Amino acid sequence: MRDGNKIFQNFLKFLNNNNSLINFLAVIIIPILAIIIPTYISNHEYTLQKETTSPIFFLQGDNFKKGKSNIKIINKGGLVTYFEFVRITYVVVTVNNKSISLEIDHNDQAGLSEMNANIDSTRKWDYIPTLQNFYPSEIYNIVLDKVKMVFPTKYSTSVDIEDYYKLSYYDYENEYHELYYRLNEEGVGEYDKTIKPKDERKNCFSNAYMSTDSVIDEDIISFYSHFQNFVDRELLQFRWRLDE
């Protein structure tokens, strides 16, 4: 018991002999802690919220009206992993109620489709397609002209085209999501519920695709030349199957 009293007396003596230290702690250290601790808690809660909420994406095109389909993608919501973004031009050719699809995948110059997002807390991406000055209307005209050449008037034909952007990712619960966007006249990405995943679309005889990765060092004229050869091959095979 005497030892306890001695310790208490020594503590009182320490306080009496160190008033300046106590005042320093009260005036300087405690207010600093009052700032640091709430900030730490707030940051921790913010990080936890980002790790347990869904992402919110915003898309803004760059010089879209001039054919330059560069896009800034910003995520203001929760974290994502295995993020992918690609532009898709999807053409369906129908002849006598039978269809084939021709797809062009516009991949990113920097391999954006292979990025594992948020490993480095990445929340912004720049999509720069391998092919610039690309207009879907040109693709539509090429296919339409080729269809008229390959299929005479006795065939009933139609050509439909869609141009959109596919954004896919895994969320905080490791669930896979695919979102589809179109750019409006101002170049702003608008979520489009009408676009369906490929496995939910019309059943086609064949589904052929080409990627712009193979033409990264070529201009748009050269690409159109490659595309015309691609269309010729697929339409001829299509006609052979119809005529069998």
Side-chain angles (χ1 to χ4, degrees):
M1 186 68 177
R2 293 180 61 185
D3 289 341
N5 290 332
K6 185 177 180 179
I7 292 172
F8 180 71
Q9 293 298 325
N10 288 336
F11 177 69
L12 292 178
K13 184 178 180 180
F14 171 80
L15 293 178
N16 290 329
N17 294 335
N18 294 275
N19 284 332
S20 60
L21 176 61
I22 300 302
N23 290 335
F24 172 77
L25 292 174
V27 174
I28 304 298
I29 301 299
I30 293 177
I32 291 175
L33 292 176
I35 296 173
I36 292 176
I37 292 175
T39 301
Y40 171 79
I41 294 174
S42 177
N43 289 339
H44 177 72
E45 290 178 346
Y46 175 81
T47 300
L48 183 62
Q49 181 184 15
K50 290 297 182 182
E51 292 177 349
T52 56
T53 58
S54 299
I56 303 173
F57 293 104
F58 294 89
L59 278 61
Q60 176 61 58
D62 177 27
N63 294 324
F64 180 63
K65 293 181 181 179
K66 297 180 181 179
K68 294 185 179 299
S69 47
N70 303 347
I71 295 177
K72 292 187 180 299
I73 308 154
I74 302 173
N75 173 20
K76 295 188 176 182
L79 303 182
V80 298
T81 55
Y82 299 105
F83 172 85
E84 288 190 62
F85 187 83
V86 62
R87 179 180 181 178
I88 296 174
T89 304
Y90 188 79
V91 184
V92 175
V93 178
T94 303
V95 180
N96 292 351
N97 296 320
K98 302 293 184 180
S99 301
I100 62 170
S101 68
L102 309 173
E103 179 180 316
I104 304 171
D105 290 351
H106 305 258
N107 293 316
D108 182 76
Q109 290 183 11
L112 181 61
S113 62
E114 300 174 359
M115 289 181 64
N116 190 354
N118 296 125
I119 292 298
D120 299 317
S121 299
T122 304
R123 307 188 66 77
K124 297 180 181 179
W125 302 270
D126 289 311
Y127 168 75
I128 304 175
T130 54
L131 194 66
Q132 296 285 355
N133 301 310
F134 176 92
Y135 294 95
S137 58
E138 294 292 334
I139 294 299
Y140 177 82
N141 291 334
I142 289 173
V143 176
L144 188 61
D145 289 343
K146 293 290 185 181
V147 168
K148 291 177 180 178
M149 291 174 58
V150 174
F151 296 95
T153 55
K154 70 174 184 176
Y155 293 91
S156 173
T157 64
S158 67
V159 176
D160 299 296
I161 186 169
E162 290 184 318
D163 192 71
Y164 58 91
Y165 297 84
K166 184 185 79 171
L167 188 158
S168 62
Y169 64 93
Y170 284 85
D171 65 12
Y172 67 97
E173 293 181 322
N174 203 34
E175 290 187 2
Y176 178 76
H177 299 269
E178 262 187 24
L179 305 177
Y180 300 95
Y181 294 84
R182 299 188 196 274
L183 296 189
N184 62 23
E185 292 183 355
E186 287 73 38
V188 177
E190 296 180 341
Y191 176 56
D192 193 331
K193 294 181 179 180
T194 66
I195 301 174
K196 302 294 183 183
K198 280 182 282 188
D199 57 359
E200 295 181 15
R201 297 187 180 191
K202 181 188 299 185
N203 186 26
C204 297
F205 261 176
S206 65
N207 301 279
Y209 79 97
M210 65 181 297
S211 169
T212 57
D213 278 352
S214 60
V215 294
I216 189 169
D217 296 322
E218 301 180 25
D219 59 21
I220 188 66
I221 302 301
S222 179
F223 171 78
Y224 286 152
S225 177
H226 283 286
F227 181 72
Q228 290 185 49
N229 294 334
F230 167 72
V231 175
D232 283 337
R233 182 181 69 247
E234 296 302 322
L235 289 182
L236 287 174
Q237 291 180 353
F238 187 25
R239 180 168 177 175
W240 292 338
R241 295 188 67 176
L242 288 176
D243 291 340
E244 286 179 349

